[in-house]
Amino acid sequence: MTDHKWIDLRSDTVTRPTPAMRRAMAEAEVGDDVYGEDPTVNRLERRVAELLGTEAALFVPSGTMANQIAIGLHAGPGDELICDSRAHVYVWEAGGIARHWGVQARTINPHGGLIGLDHLRDKIQPDNEHYVRTRLVCLENTHNRAGGRVHPFESVCAISEWARAHGLALHLDGARLMNAVVASGVPAAEWASRFDTVSVCFSKGLGAPVGSAIAGPAELIRRAHRLRKALGGGMRQAGVIAAGALFAIEHHIDRLADDHAHAQVIADAVERAPGLSLESGPVETNLVWITVDPEAGTARQVADRLRESGVLVSALGPQTLRAVTHLDVSREQCERAAEAILRVAEGLAARAG
Ligand SMILES: *Cc1c(COP(=O)(O)O)cnc(C)c1O
């Protein structure tokens, strides 16, 4: 699928390791990480903790596992977490909240916006035997399904103060935290300091083939080791993949600005294309969520026609498309994709008219 003839904008997970990253992986020093003896994994975990300003971090196979471990750290059977109704933890983690931990989710629909303190104030259940115990709030930054938007930092600070004042834990799904860092100029450690735990993905825009981490206080990360083992995430000579993640941290953070600029090229075309619009307003990072006007056709039709032009996007709803920029698509390829989007939209509009 992902060979050179395609401009693959389906996701930032489709990137393949660069030759330099592959060399770092091939040369990685390794040991048995379940024994704590993989020097490359240990180095990565120290590096992530340093980047996020936390006491400790734990390398895990996926962002889903990082989020699920966080939920297991903060809540248990009969507890409740609060999250956006479009949150990855709720929508795209195979019901893990309920199936692993017996936790129920209270979802909030911020009507196209992002969760702010005003959505949360009245959501803590009373301390009374009739009610579930409200334990945890999960935020997502950048917010994938909300158009890759960045939470305003002041809003996160206000939520954090409120959560602390009410004894609630706060977890950040930071699968794309580095995109938020680059787009906002707020350092990773500033964001992280507002949360109890933070997950980050190396396999999205950072371009590593595998891996995520959960970061937080040493005591929580000690407990996280046991939850990782319980979920089957204890890996052995994991330094081979940790080396890819380390390489990504050292070389692929600043260049996320290119992905954001390339997303603007796609977004400009969408705004000019008849029958297409940006689902969540102006694009802030590398995710472009697109609404297809039913008069023009379906998302599937648009995606199929783009594929005929060599451009791959995801149809993620009857009228919803997503195009994502990443390190395996150049500016020139994004310009070609933008032209294809305009051409396809004009073709469908001419037919509909
Ligand atoms: C991709 C993603 C994750 C984790 O996904 P994995 O495929 O399990 O690594 C978590 N949160 C968000 C917002 C994501 O986009």
Side-chain angles (χ1 to χ4, degrees):
M1 177 62 69
T2 312
D3 59 32
H4 298 298
K5 86 187 198 330
W6 299 103
I7 299 173
D8 192 347
L9 301 173
R10 289 171 303 161
S11 174
D12 46 10
T13 57
V14 302
T15 56
R16 286 149 308 164
T18 61
M21 182 184 281
R22 279 185 190 269
R23 265 196 307 281
M25 295 173 72
E27 289 163 9
E29 258 190 281
V30 297
D32 190 326
D33 180 51
V34 175
Y35 296 171
E37 291 174 3
D38 189 300
T40 308
V41 171
N42 292 341
R43 205 146 55 82
L44 172 66
E45 291 176 346
R46 280 196 303 275
R47 182 73 188 89
V48 171
E50 176 190 284
L51 182 68
L52 297 176
T54 60
E55 286 175 355
L58 181 67
F59 187 47
V60 295
S62 68
T64 297
M65 190 180 288
N67 285 335
Q68 291 299 322
I69 287 172
I71 293 165
L73 287 173
H74 299 303
D79 291 342
E80 183 168 78
L81 68 76
I82 305 173
C83 66
D84 189 303
S85 56
R86 306 156 300 173
H88 195 281
V89 289
Y90 180 68
V91 179
W92 284 309
E93 299 190 6
I97 295 171
R99 69 159 85 198
H100 299 311
W101 316 116
V103 171
Q104 73 181 30
R106 179 159 188 189
T107 58
I108 291 175
N109 174 2
H111 300 289
L114 293 168
I115 288 185
L117 182 52
D118 286 345
H119 297 103
L120 295 169
R121 281 186 212 281
D122 60 350
K123 300 299 187 299
I124 300 176
Q125 300 289 9
D127 182 11
N128 167 307
E129 68 186 18
H130 291 85
Y131 297 102
V132 71
R133 288 199 312 169
T134 310
R135 302 291 287 167
L136 169 66
V137 176
C138 296
L139 298 182
E140 186 177 311
N141 201 23
T142 66
H143 198 301
N144 182 346
R145 191 66 190 83
R149 288 220 299 275
V150 181
H151 276 273
F153 185 61
E154 315 72 60
S155 165
V156 167
C157 293
I159 291 171
S160 172
E161 275 176 36
W162 168 85
R164 280 177 186 163
H166 291 86
L168 300 182
L170 191 59
H171 171 68
L172 174 62
D173 176 350
R176 295 187 182 80
L177 177 61
M178 293 308 150
N179 294 86
V181 166
V182 168
S184 66
V186 176
E190 281 293 313
W191 289 108
S193 70
R194 266 59 185 183
F195 294 85
D196 296 288
T197 49
V198 177
S199 59
V200 288
C201 287
F202 310 114
S203 55
K204 300 276 167 85
L206 295 181
V210 185
S212 291
I214 170 170
E219 193 268 323
L220 284 182
I221 298 305
R222 243 192 322 277
R223 286 174 51 212
H225 275 86
R226 181 172 272 125
L227 298 186
R228 181 182 69 173
K229 200 78 183 77
L231 294 174
M235 299 180 285
R236 303 296 177 172
Q237 283 72 38
V240 174
I241 51 175
L246 265 171
F247 187 93
I249 290 173
E250 301 312 335
H251 301 281
H252 293 168
I253 293 180
D254 292 344
R255 64 152 307 287
L256 292 172
D258 298 340
D259 296 344
H260 299 174
H262 298 166
Q264 291 301 324
V265 174
I266 307 283
D268 287 347
V270 170
E271 285 189 298
R272 284 184 289 130
L276 301 183
S277 55
L278 296 173
E279 186 185 71
S280 311
V283 166
E284 297 179 13
T285 58
N286 69 326
L287 306 181
V288 185
W289 285 82
I290 303 163
T291 301
V292 181
D293 183 338
E295 303 268 315
T298 64
R300 190 72 266 158
Q301 283 175 313
V302 175
D304 286 347
R305 292 198 174 202
L306 285 171
R307 169 183 281 269
E308 288 161 16
S309 308
V311 176
L312 303 178
V313 298
S314 294
L316 292 173
Q319 303 302 136
T320 306
L321 293 169
R322 192 185 68 174
V324 185
T325 57
H326 52 75
L327 96 171
D328 281 3
V329 286
S330 65
R331 178 167 196 102
E332 187 262 328
Q333 287 177 309
C334 289
E335 283 165 358
R336 276 184 11 231
E339 284 162 24
I341 286 168
L342 269 173
R343 205 168 49 241
V344 165
E346 280 162 6
L348 284 169
R351 222 192 34 173

Short mmCIF file of all heavy atoms in Angstrom, two decimals, residues 9-10 64 118 136 145 152 177 201 224 231 304 316 325 346:
data_model
loop_
_atom_site.label_atom_id
_atom_site.label_comp_id
_atom_site.label_asym_id
_atom_site.label_seq_id
_atom_site.Cartn_x
_atom_site.Cartn_y
_atom_site.Cartn_z
N LEU A 9 -1.99 9.98 2.91
CA LEU A 9 -2.39 10.94 3.95
C LEU A 9 -3.41 10.33 4.91
O LEU A 9 -4.11 11.05 5.62
CB LEU A 9 -2.99 12.19 3.28
CG LEU A 9 -2.08 12.95 2.32
CD1 LEU A 9 -2.88 14.07 1.61
CD2 LEU A 9 -0.88 13.55 3.03
N ARG A 10 -3.48 8.99 4.94
CA ARG A 10 -4.51 8.37 5.79
C ARG A 10 -4.23 8.62 7.27
O ARG A 10 -5.14 8.81 8.05
CB ARG A 10 -4.57 6.86 5.53
CG ARG A 10 -5.17 6.50 4.17
CD ARG A 10 -5.02 5.03 3.89
NE ARG A 10 -3.60 4.64 3.95
CZ ARG A 10 -3.17 3.41 4.10
NH1 ARG A 10 -4.02 2.41 4.21
NH2 ARG A 10 -1.87 3.15 4.12
N THR A 64 -2.49 3.16 23.09
CA THR A 64 -3.66 2.58 23.75
C THR A 64 -3.24 1.97 25.09
O THR A 64 -3.88 2.20 26.12
CB THR A 64 -4.30 1.52 22.85
OG1 THR A 64 -4.77 2.16 21.66
CG2 THR A 64 -5.45 0.81 23.53
N ASP A 118 -15.83 24.95 32.34
CA ASP A 118 -17.29 25.11 32.47
C ASP A 118 -18.05 23.81 32.18
O ASP A 118 -19.14 23.62 32.70
CB ASP A 118 -17.78 26.22 31.53
CG ASP A 118 -17.42 27.59 32.08
OD1 ASP A 118 -17.06 27.66 33.28
OD2 ASP A 118 -17.46 28.57 31.31
N LEU A 136 -11.42 10.58 37.87
CA LEU A 136 -10.41 10.89 36.86
C LEU A 136 -11.00 11.72 35.73
O LEU A 136 -12.14 11.48 35.32
CB LEU A 136 -9.88 9.55 36.30
CG LEU A 136 -9.00 9.56 35.05
CD1 LEU A 136 -7.66 10.25 35.33
CD2 LEU A 136 -8.75 8.12 34.58
N ARG A 145 -10.04 13.88 17.11
CA ARG A 145 -11.36 13.98 16.46
C ARG A 145 -11.91 15.40 16.46
O ARG A 145 -12.89 15.70 15.77
CB ARG A 145 -12.32 13.01 17.17
CG ARG A 145 -13.66 12.79 16.47
CD ARG A 145 -13.46 12.09 15.15
NE ARG A 145 -14.67 12.09 14.34
CZ ARG A 145 -15.08 13.08 13.57
NH1 ARG A 145 -14.39 14.20 13.51
NH2 ARG A 145 -16.18 12.96 12.85
N PRO A 152 -6.22 25.39 24.65
CA PRO A 152 -5.57 26.59 25.17
C PRO A 152 -4.88 26.24 26.49
O PRO A 152 -5.47 25.58 27.34
CB PRO A 152 -6.73 27.56 25.40
CG PRO A 152 -7.85 27.04 24.55
CD PRO A 152 -7.68 25.56 24.48
N LEU A 177 1.22 15.11 21.68
CA LEU A 177 1.61 16.25 22.53
C LEU A 177 2.70 17.08 21.85
O LEU A 177 2.69 18.31 21.96
CB LEU A 177 2.10 15.76 23.90
CG LEU A 177 2.59 16.86 24.84
CD1 LEU A 177 1.48 17.86 25.15
CD2 LEU A 177 3.15 16.27 26.13
N CYS A 201 3.09 9.24 22.12
CA CYS A 201 3.33 8.23 21.08
C CYS A 201 4.55 8.61 20.26
O CYS A 201 4.68 9.77 19.85
CB CYS A 201 2.15 8.14 20.12
SG CYS A 201 0.69 7.37 20.81
N ALA A 224 2.78 1.17 37.50
CA ALA A 224 2.49 0.99 36.06
C ALA A 224 3.21 -0.23 35.50
O ALA A 224 2.70 -0.89 34.58
CB ALA A 224 2.88 2.25 35.28
N LEU A 231 -1.20 -6.52 31.19
CA LEU A 231 -1.79 -6.33 29.86
C LEU A 231 -0.95 -7.02 28.77
O LEU A 231 -1.25 -6.92 27.59
CB LEU A 231 -1.93 -4.84 29.55
CG LEU A 231 -2.93 -4.07 30.43
CD1 LEU A 231 -2.87 -2.58 30.13
CD2 LEU A 231 -4.35 -4.60 30.23
N ASP A 304 -12.38 7.51 -3.04
CA ASP A 304 -12.09 6.62 -4.19
C ASP A 304 -11.52 7.41 -5.36
O ASP A 304 -10.60 6.97 -6.04
CB ASP A 304 -13.36 5.88 -4.61
CG ASP A 304 -13.74 4.77 -3.62
OD1 ASP A 304 -12.89 4.44 -2.76
OD2 ASP A 304 -14.88 4.26 -3.70
N LEU A 316 -13.83 8.36 7.30
CA LEU A 316 -14.07 7.97 8.70
C LEU A 316 -15.51 8.23 9.14
O LEU A 316 -15.82 8.20 10.32
CB LEU A 316 -13.08 8.68 9.63
CG LEU A 316 -11.62 8.21 9.45
CD1 LEU A 316 -10.66 9.07 10.26
CD2 LEU A 316 -11.46 6.74 9.84
N THR A 325 -0.83 14.96 7.54
CA THR A 325 0.53 15.14 7.01
C THR A 325 1.54 14.54 7.99
O THR A 325 1.28 14.45 9.20
CB THR A 325 0.83 16.63 6.77
OG1 THR A 325 0.65 17.34 8.00
CG2 THR A 325 -0.09 17.21 5.71
N GLU A 346 -14.25 19.58 -7.87
CA GLU A 346 -14.87 20.30 -9.01
C GLU A 346 -15.57 19.32 -9.93
O GLU A 346 -16.66 19.60 -10.44
CB GLU A 346 -13.80 21.14 -9.74
CG GLU A 346 -13.52 22.44 -9.00
CD GLU A 346 -12.19 23.11 -9.38
OE1 GLU A 346 -11.52 22.62 -10.31
OE2 GLU A 346 -11.84 24.10 -8.72
#
